[in-house]
C-alpha cells in the first residue's frame, strides 16, 4: 500500500502541493482527477522520487521511503509521451529493468514474451521504437513499467490524445491487465469518465489538500 | 522571423559588396600589355613605379630608409614579407620566371646554390661592385646576386658566469667536448634554425665530413641541449641575456654582444657576453633581381641602392649584421664590442647544397634520436 | 535523403563544388603535376618516415581520448545544470580553440615546468587545451536534445544515475562523441604550431616534416609525397570511423532543445557542479593569464611600455582591422557555402556524397601543399590574384567550410520530414518551406558554425602564411613575426597583442553565445 502524508512541494517559492495526503490500498486502482496545473503530475513525480519534497512523508508498505532514491523505490511510472528509449528496440526497452536486476537471460526472454503477450504485441518484439503507432507505443510503455512487477504503478494521463475507438479499447485492456496482476495503481487523468470506468475509487486532488 | 529576413538581407548585401570589391581589385591587374604577371606594380600614372622587395620576416630596416632612393629615382619601394629565408627561396624557386616581386633580399650562403640552380635570379653587375667584400663576392659567379651583408655565427658565452666560478670560458669547438663544460651548452637545431645550421656547418668545416659525427656524439655525451630555434636558445636558455636561463654557452651571432649593450636597459658598464672567435662560421646574405620581373632596369637600380653606403650603414643597428660594402662606416658599439674573426670557418655553397640532407640526417640520428 | 528538395539539389551543390574546384583541386593538382617526381616515393620506405607517422598517430589518438574524457563531465554539467556563470563557462571553454597556436604555444612554454618542455606530453597538454571546448560544445548541445524524462524513465525502472548515463545517455550521445572525436583527431593529427613550439627538435609529425622538406631542404617533391601519405592515412581513418558509426541505424533526434537544466539539488550535485566549473575555469584562464603576465612584466619588473607602444602603433591597428575584415568575409562566405554544401549532401541522393569528400580536403591536406599550390596557380592573367588581398581570407574559408558543413549536416539530417510535409500541405512554396522549417531549425547550428568560421579566420596561420604579405598582415602573423625577433620589449609587445587577441576572441564568443541562448530561451 501507498500513503502520502502532508506533502508540501514548492517550486521556486510558488506552492504546488500544499499539505496533500492520500492513501491507496494494496491492489487498489485509484483515479485522481483535477484541473490542469493542480499538481497531479507533480504528485506522481514525488511518489516516484523524481521531485524533492519540502515537507511531509511517503510510505510504501508501512516503510518510509521519503528519502529513498528513485531507482530503489520499485515504483513504475508510465509517462504521458511514453518515453520509450529510442536507441533500443521494443524487446530491449521492456527488458531494461530486468537487466538491471540481473535476471538471467533466459528468464528475461520469458518475461518479455509473457508481458508482450499480455498486451497482444508479441509480433513487435524486434520492432524499432520510432516505427510504433500511438497505441502500440502506449502499450509497450505499460508493458515496460509492469514487467519488473513494481509495488505501485503510476499512470500519467495515459490515454491522452488517443482517438475514441483506440481510447475505449486501451482503457478496457489496461483495466483488465491491472486487475489480472493485482497491481496497486494511481491513475491520473482529467477525464472523469475515464477515471470512473477503470478505478475502484475516484478522488479529486483538491479534496486531498488541507 | 523578421530577424531571419534581416540577417539574410545583410548577408546578401555583404556578399555583394565583397564580390564588387574583389572585381575592382582584380581589374587593376588586368592592364598589362604582355602575358606576364603584373603583381609588382600598381601604376597610377605611367611615371610612378613601385618595386616589390621580397624579404624574410625579420627584415627590419629603418622606417624611411628608402626615401632617399625614391627621391633620387622616383621609384617607390614596397616591402613584402614571405616567411624565413628557406621559405623565400622555395617559393621563389617555384615561381621562377614569374615572380611575386622584383627584388629578393635574404638568400644566404647555405641557400645560394639552390637559388642559383633554380634560376630565380637575373644576373646584374652592380655599380658598387668594387666596394663590396671580396671574399663574399667569391661565392657568386656570373653576378647572379650581390652580397649585401655578412655576419658570423659563433659561440657566445656569459662572462660573469665564468668569472664568478673562476673557470676559463671555452675558446674552441674542441673545448666544448671537455668535461669542464658539461651541460653548459645550448644550440638551436640545424634543421629549423639558420644559425643552428651555420654552427653545424662550422663543425663540418672544422672536423671534416667524417669527423663531425664523432664530434657531435661527444657533444651529446657532454649534455648539449638542442632547442628548436635561436630565439629559444638565446632568450630562454642562455644565462647572459634577459631570459636569465641556466646555460652560459650558446650559439649566436658575432653581433650579439653589441646587441646586448644596445638593447639592455639599463645599459651595463661592460659587455656581459663575449664571442669565441675560433668557433665562428661566416654567413653572407645576398640580394638579386628576380628573373621575369617587369621592371628589370628599376630593379637593378634598387640593387645599386641596397649595396650603396647609405643603405648599408643602416644595417648594423637594425639587422645586426656587417655591411658588405667596405666603405660603409660601423657604429661605435660595433667597433667597441664586437670582433670580426680573421679566418672564419666556411664551406663551399655547392658542397652544402649537395650534402645538406645527408648531414642533417646524420645529425638527427646522432643527436636527436 | 528527403524528396522535398530533390530537384534543387544540383543548384545547391554548385557553389561549394566550384569553390573547392577553383581553390583546392586545381591548385593541388597543379603543384603535384609540376613538382612531384616519382623517385621521391623512396622516402616512404625510410625508417624515419615510419617513426614520424607512428608518432603523429599516437599523439593525436591520446590527445583525442583525453579530450573526450575531460569534455564529458564539463558537457554533463553544462547540459544538465543551471548555475551562476553557466553561460560564461560555455564561452570560456570555447576560447582556446580560436586562439592562434603561436600564442598558446608560447604561453605553455612559460607555464610548463622545464622538465616537460620539448616532450610529447607538452604537445598533448596543448592539444587538449585547444580542443576540449570544441568537444564540450558538440557533446553538450547534443545532450540538450535528449528529453529529460528519458532519464526519469530509466530511473523509475531501477537505473542509478551512473547506469542511466551509461545505458541511456551515452548511447544517444554516441554520434556526437564520434563527431567530436573525429574533428579533434584531425586537428591534432595535422597540427603544426604546437608541435613546432612545444615538441622541440626531436619531435616531428607528418605536417612539420612536410614543412621542413619543402622549405628548409627545398625538396618540394618529397614534401608532396608525405602530403599524399598524410591524405591516405587520414582518409582511411575517416572511412573506418564513419562506417563504424553506420553499423546500427541511429535514432532520430527531434529538433527541440529541451530545458534539461535545473539547479543542483543535492549537496553531491552542488559539489560536482562547483568542482567542474571552477577547475575548468582555472585551467582555461591560467595560460591566458601567463600571456598577460609576460606582456607587463619585463625581466621581473612591472612595465607597461609594451602596451603603450602597441596601442599607439598604427601598423598594429591596421593589422587588427585586417584580421576583422577577413573574419567577416570568412563568416559570410563560409557559412553560405557551407550551408549550401551541407544541404546538397543531406538532401541529395548518394550521387552528391562526393561533395562531402571534396569539401573535406582542405582540413586533411597539408597547409604547405595548399599554400604552394595557390601560389603557382593564381599567377597568370586574368587570375593573378597572388597579390590580391582576397587570397588570404579565401584561404581561411577553405579551412572553415568543411567544418561548417560538419556542424550543420547532422542537424539537417535529423530534421523530421513530417514538418516539411506539414508545411507543404499548408501551401508553402519550396522557398517558404525551406525558410520557415529548415532555416529556423538549423539557425543555432548555423550560428555555432559561423562562430567557428570566425575563430578559424582570426587564428589562421597555415596556408595563408605562405602567401606574400604587404600591408595586409593579420594579427597572428604579426605576433609570430614579433616573437621571432630579439628584444625583450619586442617580445612583450607580441604578448600584448596576443592579449588583445584573446580579449577579442572572448568577446566574439560571448556575443554569439549570448544571442544564441537568448533565442533559444535558455
Amino acid at each position: 500500500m501507498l500513503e502520502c502524508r502532508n506533502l508540501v512541494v514548492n517550486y521556486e517559492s510558488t506552492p504546488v502541493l500544499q499539505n496533500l495526503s492520500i492513501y491507496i490500498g494494496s491492489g487498489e486502482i485509484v483515479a485522481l482527477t483535477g484541473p490542469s496545473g493542480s499538481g497531479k503530475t507533480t504528485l506522481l513525480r514525488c511518489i516516484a522520487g523524481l521531485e524533492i519534497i519540502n515537507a511531509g512523508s511517503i510510505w510504501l508498505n508501512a516503510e518510509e521511503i521519503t528519502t529513498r532514491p528513485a531507482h530503489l523505490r520499485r515504483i513504475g511510472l508510465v509517462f504521458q509521451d511514453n518515453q520509450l528509449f529510442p536507441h533500443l528496440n521494443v524487446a530491449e526497452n521492456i527488458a531494461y529493468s530486468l537487466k538491471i536486476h540481473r535476471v538471467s537471460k533466459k528468464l528475461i526472454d520469458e518475461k518479455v514474451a509473457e508481458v508482450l503477450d499480455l498486451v497482444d504485441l508479441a509480433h513487435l518484439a524486434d520492432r524499432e521504437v520510432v516505427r510504433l503507432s500511438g497505441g502500440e507505443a502506449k502499450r509497450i510503455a505499460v508493458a515496460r513499467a509492469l514487467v519488473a512487477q513494481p509495488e505501485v504503478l503510476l499512470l500519467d494521463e495515459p490515454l491522452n490524445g488517443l482517438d475514441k475507438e483506440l481510447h475505449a479499447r486501451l482503457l478496457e485492456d489496461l483495466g483488465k491487465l491491472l486487475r489480472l496482476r493485482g497491481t496497486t495503481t494511481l491513475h491520473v487523468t482529467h477525464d472523469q469518465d475515464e477515471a470512473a470506468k477503470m478505478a475502484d475509487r475516484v478522488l479529486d486532488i483538491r479534496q486531498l489538500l488541507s | 522571423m523578421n530577424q531571419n529576413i534581416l540577417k539574410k538581407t545583410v548577408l546578401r548585401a555583404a556578399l555583394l559588396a565583397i564580390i564588387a570589391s574583389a572585381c575592382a581589385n582584380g581589374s587593376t591587374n588586368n592592364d598589362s600589355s604582355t602575358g606576364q604577371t603584373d603583381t609588382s606594380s600598381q601604376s597610377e600614372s605611367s611615371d610612378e613605379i613601385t618595386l616589390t622587395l621580397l624579404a624574410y620576416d625579420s627584415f627590419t630596416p629603418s622606417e624611411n630608409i628608402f626615401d632617399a632612393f625614391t627621391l633620387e629615382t622616383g621609384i617607390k619601394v614596397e616591402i613584402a614579407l614571405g616567411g624565413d629565408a628557406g621559405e623565400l627561396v622555395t617559393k621563389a624557386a617555384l615561381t621562377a620566371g614569374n615572380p611575386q616581386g622584383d627584388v629578393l633580399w635574404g638568400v644566404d650562403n647555405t641557400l645560394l646554390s639552390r637559388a642559383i640552380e633554380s634560376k630565380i635570379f637575373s644576373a646584374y653587375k652592380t655599380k658598387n661592385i668594387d666596394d663590396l667584400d671580396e671574399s663574399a663576392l667569391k661565392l657568386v659567379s656570373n653576378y647572379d646576386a650581390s652580397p649585401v651583408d655578412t655576419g658570423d655565427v659563433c659561440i657566445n658565452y656569459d662572462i660573469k658566469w665564468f668569472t664568478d666560478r673562476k673557470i676559463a670560458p671555452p675558446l674552441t669547438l674542441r673545448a666544448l667536448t671537455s668535461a669542464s663544460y658539461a651541460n653548459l651548452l645550448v644550440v638551436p637545431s640545424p634543421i629549423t634554425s639558420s644559425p643552428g645550421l651555420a654552427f653545424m656547418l662550422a663543425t663540418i668545416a672544422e672536423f671534416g665530413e667524417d669527423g663531425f659525427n664523432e664530434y657531435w656524439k661527444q657533444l651529446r655525451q657532454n649534455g648539449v641541449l638542442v632547442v628548436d630555434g635561436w630565439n629559444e636558445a638565446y632568450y630562454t636558455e642562455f644565462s647572459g641575456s634577459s631570459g636569465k636561463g641556466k646555460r652560459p654557452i650558446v650559439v649566436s651571432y658575432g653581433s650579439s654582444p653589441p646587441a646586448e649593450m644596445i638593447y639592455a636597459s639599463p645599459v651595463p658598464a661592460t659587455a656581459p657576453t663575449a664571442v669565441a672567435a675560433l668557433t665562428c662560421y661566416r654567413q653572407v646574405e645576398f640580394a638579386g633581381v628576380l628573373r621575369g620581373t617587369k621592371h628589370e632596369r628599376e630593379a637593378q637600380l634598387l640593387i645599386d641602392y641596397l649595396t650603396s653606403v647609405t643603405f648599408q650603414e643602416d644595417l648594423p643597428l637594425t639587422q645586426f649584421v656587417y655591411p658588405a660594402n667596405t666603405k660603409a662606416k660601423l657604429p661605435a658599439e660595433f667597433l667597441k664590442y664586437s670582433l670580426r674573426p680573421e679566418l672564419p670557418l666556411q664551406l663551399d655553397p655547392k658542397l652544402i647544397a649537395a650534402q645538406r640532407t645527408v648531414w642533417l640526417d646524420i645529425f638527427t640520428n646522432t643527436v636527436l634520436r | 535523403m528527403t524528396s522535398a528538395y530533390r530537384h534543387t539539389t544540383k543548384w545547391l551543390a554548385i557553389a561549394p563544388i566550384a569553390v573547392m574546384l577553383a581553390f583546392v583541386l586545381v591548385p593541388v593538382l597543379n603543384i603535384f603535376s609540376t613538382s612531384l617526381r616519382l623517385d621521391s616515393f623512396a622516402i616512404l620506405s625510410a625508417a624515419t618516415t615510419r617513426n614520424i607517422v607512428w608518432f603523429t598517430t599516437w599523439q593525436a589518438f591520446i590527445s583525442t581520448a583525453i579530450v573526450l574524457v575531460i569534455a564529458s563531465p564539463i558537457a554533463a554539467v553544462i547540459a544538465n545544470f543551471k548555475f551562476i556563470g553557466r553561460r560564461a563557462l560555455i564561452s570560456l571553454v570555447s576560447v582556446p580553440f580560436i586562439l592562434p597556436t603561436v600564442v598558446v604555444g608560447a604561453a605553455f612554454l612559460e607555464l610548463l615546468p622545464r622538465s616537460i618542455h620539448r616532450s610529447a606530453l607538452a604537445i598533448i597538454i596543448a592539444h587538449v587545451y585547444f580542443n576540449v571546448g570544441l568537444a564540450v560544445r558538440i557533446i553538450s548541445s547534443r545532450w540538450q536534445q535528449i528529453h529529460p524524462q528519458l532519464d526519469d524513465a530509466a530511473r523509475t525502472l531501477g537505473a542509478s544515475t551512473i547506469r542511466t548515463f551509461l545505458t541511456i545517455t551515452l548511447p544517444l550521445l554516441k554520434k556526437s562523441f564520434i563527431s567530436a572525436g573525429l574533428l579533434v583527431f584531425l586537428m591534432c593529427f595535422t597540427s603544426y604550431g604546437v608541435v613546432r613550439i612545444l615538441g622541440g627538435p626531436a619531435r616531428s609529425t607528418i605536417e612539420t616534416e612536410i614543412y621542413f622538406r619543402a622549405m628548409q631542404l627545398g625538396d618540394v617533391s618529397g614534401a608532396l609525397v608525405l602530403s599524399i601519405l598524410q591524405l591516405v592515412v587520414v582518409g582511411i581513418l575517416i572511412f573506418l570511423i564513419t562506417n563504424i558509426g553506420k553499423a546500427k541505424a541511429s535514432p532520430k533526434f527531434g529538433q527541440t532543445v529541451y530545458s534539461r537544466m535545473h539547479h543542483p539539488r543535492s549537496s553531491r550535485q552542488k559539489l560536482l557542479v562547483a568542482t567542474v566549473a571552477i577547475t575548468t575555469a582555472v585551467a582555461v584562464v591560467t595560460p591566458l593569464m601567463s600571456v598577460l603576465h609576460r606582456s607587463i612584466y619585463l625581466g621581473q619588473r612591472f612595465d607597461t611600455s609594451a602596451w603603450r607602444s602597441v596601442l599607439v602603433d598604427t601598423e598594429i591597428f591596421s593589422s587588427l582591422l585586417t584580421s576583422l575584415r577577413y573574419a567577416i568575409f570568412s563568416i559570410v562566405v563560409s557559412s553560405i557555402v557551407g550551408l549550401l554544401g551541407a544541404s546538397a549532401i543531406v538532401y541529395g541522393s548518394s550521387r552528391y556524397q562526393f561533395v562531402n569528400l571534396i569539401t573535406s580536403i582542405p582540413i586533411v591536406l597539408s597547409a604547405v601543399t595548399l599554400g604552394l599550390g595557390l601560389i603557382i596557380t593564381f599567377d597568370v592573367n586574368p587570375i593573378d590574384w597572388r597579390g590580391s588581398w582576397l587570397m588570404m581570407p579565401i584561404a581561411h574559408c577553405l579551412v572553415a567550410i568543411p567544418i561548417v558543413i560538419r556542424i550543420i549536416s547532422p542537424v539537417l539530417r535529423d530534421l523530421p520530414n513530417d514538418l516539411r510535409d506539414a508545411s507543404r500541405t499548408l501551401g508553402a512554396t519550396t522557398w517558404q518551406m525551406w525558410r520557415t522549417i529548415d532555416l529556423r531549425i538549423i539557425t543555432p547550428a548555423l550560428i555555432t558554425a559561423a562562430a567557428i568560421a570566425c575563430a578559424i579566420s582570426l587564428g589562421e596561420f597555415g596556408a595563408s602564411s605562405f602567401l606574400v604579405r604587404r600591408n595586409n598582415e593579420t594579427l597572428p602573423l604579426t605576433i609570430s613575426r614579433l616573437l621571432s625577433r630579439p628584444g625583450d620589449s619586442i617580445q612583450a609587445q607580441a604578448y600584448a597583442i596576443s592579449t588583445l587577441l584573446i580579449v577579442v576572441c572572448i568577446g566574439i564568443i560571448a556575443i554569439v553565445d549570448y544571442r544564441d541562448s537568448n533565442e533559444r530561451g535558455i
Side-chain angles (χ1 to χ4, degrees), chain C residues 271-434:
Chain C
L271 187 64
L272 172 71
V273 170
T275 314
V276 169
I278 293 177
T279 319
T280 308
V282 167
V284 170
V285 167
T286 309
L288 305 181
M289 280 292 126
S290 76
V291 172
L292 176 65
H293 184 267
R294 188 81 144 94
S295 74
I296 55 180
Y297 277 90
L298 288 145
Q300 317 302 335
R301 269 181 4 258
F302 182 76
D303 185 347
T304 55
S305 60
W307 278 94
R308 274 179 275 135
S309 341
V310 161
L311 293 171
V312 159
D313 196 314
T314 48
E315 217 179 69
I316 292 176
F317 187 69
S318 79
S319 194
L320 174 66
L321 283 183
T322 307
S323 275
L324 285 177
R325 208 160 44 124
Y326 291 1
I328 293 175
F329 178 95
S330 190
I331 293 174
V332 170
V333 173
S334 316
S335 305
I336 294 178
V337 176
L339 178 58
L340 291 172
S343 308
I345 294 170
V346 172
Y347 301 151
S349 61
S350 48
R351 252 195 310 161
Y352 290 92
Q353 299 319 305
F354 78 93
V355 173
N356 203 358
L357 204 66
I358 57 170
T359 48
S360 305
I361 295 178
I363 43 175
V364 166
L365 194 61
S366 160
V368 175
T369 312
L370 192 52
L372 293 180
L374 286 174
I375 294 177
I376 68 163
T377 304
F378 292 94
D379 63 349
V380 265
N381 270 325
I383 49 166
D384 188 353
W385 291 344
R386 284 176 306 180
S388 159
W389 71 268
L390 269 182
M391 286 311 282
M392 238 190 256
I394 288 177
H396 295 179
C397 288
L398 295 177
V399 178
I401 288 172
I403 299 199
V404 169
I405 290 181
R406 268 186 174 61
I407 294 179
I408 296 181
S409 301
V411 182
L412 266 183
R413 196 168 280 132
D414 289 344
L415 222 169
N417 254 326
D418 301 354
L419 294 176
R420 297 193 189 97
D421 294 342
S423 137
R424 264 273 201 248
T425 60
L426 290 170
T429 63
T430 310
W431 169 244
Q432 285 170 327
M433 172 173 68
W434 183 81

Side-chain angles (χ1 to χ4, degrees), chain A residues 15-183:
Chain A
V16 180
L17 295 178
Q18 282 178 316
N19 235 330
L20 180 145
S21 299
I22 186 172
Y23 173 85
I24 306 172
S26 214
E28 254 201 298
I29 299 181
V30 172
L32 186 62
T33 60
S36 323
S38 48
K40 308 194 295 297
T41 301
T42 310
L43 174 62
L44 289 187
R45 287 177 66 84
C46 287
I47 296 175
L50 301 171
E51 293 290 349
I52 296 187
I53 300 173
N54 295 99
S57 56
I58 305 179
W59 298 77
L60 180 63
N61 293 337
E63 253 187 271
E64 184 170 1
I65 58 167
T66 318
T67 51
R68 196 184 293 179
H71 64 283
L72 295 175
R73 290 196 186 189
R74 302 198 53 109
I75 295 180
L77 175 51
V78 176
F79 295 79
Q80 256 190 55
D81 43 7
N82 305 325
Q83 299 298 343
L84 294 177
F85 305 128
H87 60 295
L88 302 175
N89 68 16
V90 164
E92 287 162 345
N93 259 276
I94 297 178
Y96 188 78
S97 55
L98 296 175
K99 270 173 108 172
I100 291 175
H101 293 117
R102 296 192 218 244
V103 175
S104 74
K105 179 150 189 344
K106 189 157 145 286
L107 201 51
I108 290 181
D109 290 339
E110 267 179 44
K111 285 193 174 283
V112 168
E114 182 192 322
V115 83
L116 275 176
D117 263 335
L118 276 177
V119 296
D120 254 341
L121 292 179
H123 57 290
L124 290 183
D126 291 323
R127 184 71 58 92
E128 296 300 325
V129 148
V130 285
R131 299 199 358 236
L132 295 173
S133 72
E136 288 166 348
K138 184 61 63 180
R139 288 197 241 181
I140 301 296
V142 172
R144 180 177 73 175
L146 278 181
V147 75
Q149 270 152 329
E151 298 285 350
V152 177
L153 182 65
L154 307 173
L155 302 168
D156 192 354
E157 313 250 11
L159 303 176
N160 223 7
L162 295 178
D163 70 82
K164 219 166 72 162
E165 199 191 298
L166 193 55
H167 186 282
R169 196 151 43 97
L170 276 185
L171 185 57
E172 198 186 314
D173 289 346
L174 192 56
K176 274 198 214 143
L177 178 56
L178 293 174
R179 297 239 179 263
L180 183 64
R181 304 274 281 228
T183 318

Side-chain angles (χ1 to χ4, degrees), chain C residues 230-268:
Chain C
Q230 188 182 48
L231 210 60
V232 165
V233 170
V234 175
I236 293 177
L237 289 163
I238 294 182
F239 179 78
L240 283 175
I241 294 172
T242 328
N243 280 11
I244 287 174
K246 282 211 183 77
K248 189 171 176 188
S250 44
K252 279 207 176 305
F253 272 84
Q255 67 285 11
T256 334
V257 164
Y258 300 103
S259 189
R260 290 179 65 95
M261 290 134 5
H262 54 85
H263 291 289
R265 295 187 201 119
S266 64
S267 49
R268 205 169 59 145

Side-chain angles (χ1 to χ4, degrees), chain B residues 64-130:
Chain B
N64 300 313
I65 193 66
F66 290 106
D67 285 356
F69 179 70
T70 309
L71 218 57
E72 194 189 312
T73 60
I75 305 171
K76 289 214 180 100
V77 177
E78 189 181 63
I79 301 180
L81 303 176
D84 65 28
E87 267 183 58
L88 269 185
V89 172
T90 299
K91 288 194 260 190
L94 278 175
T95 56
N98 197 356
Q100 291 183 278
D102 303 295
V103 171
L104 180 66
W105 168 287
V107 177
D108 69 34
N109 45 340
T110 63
L111 297 165
L112 186 62
S113 248
R114 198 198 311 169
I116 292 180
E117 263 171 40
S118 316
K119 300 199 186 40
I120 66 177
F121 290 127
S122 174
Y124 170 62
K125 184 172 167 187
T126 170
K127 70 174 199 233
N128 296 314
I129 193 126
D130 297 320

Side-chain angles (χ1 to χ4, degrees), chain C residues 18-327:
Chain C
V19 165
M20 288 299 150
L21 213 62
F23 296 105
V24 178
L25 286 178
V26 167
V28 167
L29 288 174
N30 203 355
I31 187 101
F32 273 100
S33 62
T34 52
S35 302
L36 186 61
R37 288 186 332 263
L38 283 177
D39 56 353
S40 296
F41 278 89
I43 61 173
L44 289 178
S45 53
T48 30
T49 309
R50 269 177 281 136
N51 285 339
I52 290 172
V53 172
W54 175 235
F55 177 67
T56 316
T57 312
W58 76 252
Q59 61 82 19
F61 190 78
I62 296 196
S63 304
T64 306
I66 297 179
V67 164
L68 291 178
V69 165
I70 293 184
S72 302
I74 305 176
V77 163
I78 287 178
N80 291 296
F81 295 106
K82 243 194 261 195
F83 53 95
I84 311 171
R86 179 181 169 275
R87 278 199 247 168
L89 186 65
I90 297 176
S91 302
L92 193 61
V93 89
S94 315
V95 168
F97 185 68
I98 70 178
L99 298 176
T101 49
V102 178
V103 168
V104 174
F108 274 104
L109 272 181
E110 283 279 300
L111 206 55
L112 295 174
R114 285 288 173 84
S115 55
I116 64 173
H117 278 193
R118 298 175 211 102
S119 64
L121 181 59
I123 293 176
I124 290 174
I125 291 177
H127 280 165
V128 169
Y129 181 76
F130 267 117
N131 291 296
V132 165
L134 182 63
V136 165
R137 288 188 88 111
I138 293 178
I139 297 173
S140 69
S141 62
R142 192 65 149 181
W143 203 322
Q144 289 177 298
Q145 290 181 311
I146 301 178
H147 199 300
Q149 286 187 349
L150 273 179
D151 291 34
D152 290 340
R155 298 185 66 211
T156 60
L157 291 169
S160 63
T161 318
I162 294 182
R163 203 190 193 102
T164 308
F165 175 72
L166 291 175
T167 55
I168 306 296
T169 320
L170 219 47
L172 289 174
L173 287 181
K174 193 170 65 156
K175 253 171 56 175
S176 69
F177 270 91
I178 293 179
S179 278
L182 183 55
L183 267 176
V184 171
F185 184 87
L186 276 177
M187 296 279 141
C188 296
F189 192 85
T190 55
S191 105
Y192 174 79
V194 166
V195 179
R196 275 299 302 274
I197 297 174
L198 294 171
R203 306 258 163 230
S204 195
T205 58
I206 299 179
E207 187 76 21
T208 58
E209 189 69 14
I210 290 173
Y211 178 86
F212 158 61
R213 285 225 152 237
M215 299 304 180
Q216 305 300 335
L217 286 187
D219 178 14
V220 175
S221 179
L224 291 177
V225 168
L226 287 177
S227 190
I228 296 176
L229 175 62
Q230 188 182 48
L231 210 60
V232 165
V233 170
V234 175
I236 293 177
L237 289 163
I238 294 182
F239 179 78
L240 283 175
I241 294 172
T242 328
N243 280 11
I244 287 174
K246 282 211 183 77
K248 189 171 176 188
S250 44
K252 279 207 176 305
F253 272 84
Q255 67 285 11
T256 334
V257 164
Y258 300 103
S259 189
R260 290 179 65 95
M261 290 134 5
H262 54 85
H263 291 289
R265 295 187 201 119
S266 64
S267 49
R268 205 169 59 145
Q269 285 182 350
K270 288 192 183 135
L271 187 64
L272 172 71
V273 170
T275 314
V276 169
I278 293 177
T279 319
T280 308
V282 167
V284 170
V285 167
T286 309
L288 305 181
M289 280 292 126
S290 76
V291 172
L292 176 65
H293 184 267
R294 188 81 144 94
S295 74
I296 55 180
Y297 277 90
L298 288 145
Q300 317 302 335
R301 269 181 4 258
F302 182 76
D303 185 347
T304 55
S305 60
W307 278 94
R308 274 179 275 135
S309 341
V310 161
L311 293 171
V312 159
D313 196 314
T314 48
E315 217 179 69
I316 292 176
F317 187 69
S318 79
S319 194
L320 174 66
L321 283 183
T322 307
S323 275
L324 285 177
R325 208 160 44 124
Y326 291 1

Side-chain angles (χ1 to χ4, degrees), chain B residues 1 3-5 7-8 11-12 14-15 18 21-22 25-26 29-30 32 34-39 52 54 57-58 60 78-84 86-87 90-91 94-95 98-100 111 114 189 191-192 225-228 230-232 235-237 242 245-246 265 356-357 360 365 368-369, chain C residues 31 35 48 51-52 109 114 117-118 196-197 200-202 211-218 220 299 301 329 332-333 336 372 375-376 379-382 384-390 431 434-436 439-440 443 446-447 465-471 473 481 483-488 491 515 519:
Chain B
M1 200 67 80
Q3 258 185 324
N4 283 337
I5 297 175
K7 189 165 83 148
K8 289 205 61 55
L11 290 186
R12 265 185 238 139
L15 187 58
I18 286 163
S21 71
N25 215 1
N29 288 331
N30 272 341
S32 43
T34 67
Q36 285 264 310
T37 58
D38 201 345
T39 45
T52 301
L54 284 179
D57 283 352
S58 45
T60 51
E78 189 181 63
I79 301 180
L81 303 176
D84 65 28
E87 267 183 58
T90 299
K91 288 194 260 190
L94 278 175
T95 56
N98 197 356
Q100 291 183 278
L111 297 165
R114 198 198 311 169
S189 167
I191 300 173
T192 45
L225 175 62
V226 182
V227 298
D228 201 50
W230 170 80
N231 235 321
E232 200 186 328
Y235 282 105
T236 309
E237 302 293 339
S242 53
K246 295 209 174 65
S265 60
R356 185 186 184 136
T357 314
L360 286 174
N365 287 328
L368 296 178
R369 298 252 174 270
Chain C
I31 187 101
S35 302
T48 30
N51 285 339
I52 290 172
L109 272 181
R114 285 288 173 84
H117 278 193
R118 298 175 211 102
R196 275 299 302 274
I197 297 174
Y211 178 86
F212 158 61
R213 285 225 152 237
M215 299 304 180
Q216 305 300 335
L217 286 187
V220 175
R301 269 181 4 258
F329 178 95
V332 170
V333 173
I336 294 178
L372 293 180
I375 294 177
I376 68 163
D379 63 349
V380 265
N381 270 325
D384 188 353
W385 291 344
R386 284 176 306 180
S388 159
W389 71 268
L390 269 182
W431 169 244
W434 183 81
R435 195 166 47 103
T436 57
L439 184 58
R440 278 214 84 189
T443 298
L446 198 53
I447 292 182
S465 64
F466 298 113
L467 300 164
V468 154
R469 303 178 296 282
R470 12 150 167 247
N471 304 327
E473 205 172 54
R481 187 169 52 82
L483 281 177
S484 68
R485 294 224 249 126
D488 223 13
Q491 298 270 316
R515 184 179 172 265
E519 212 171 77

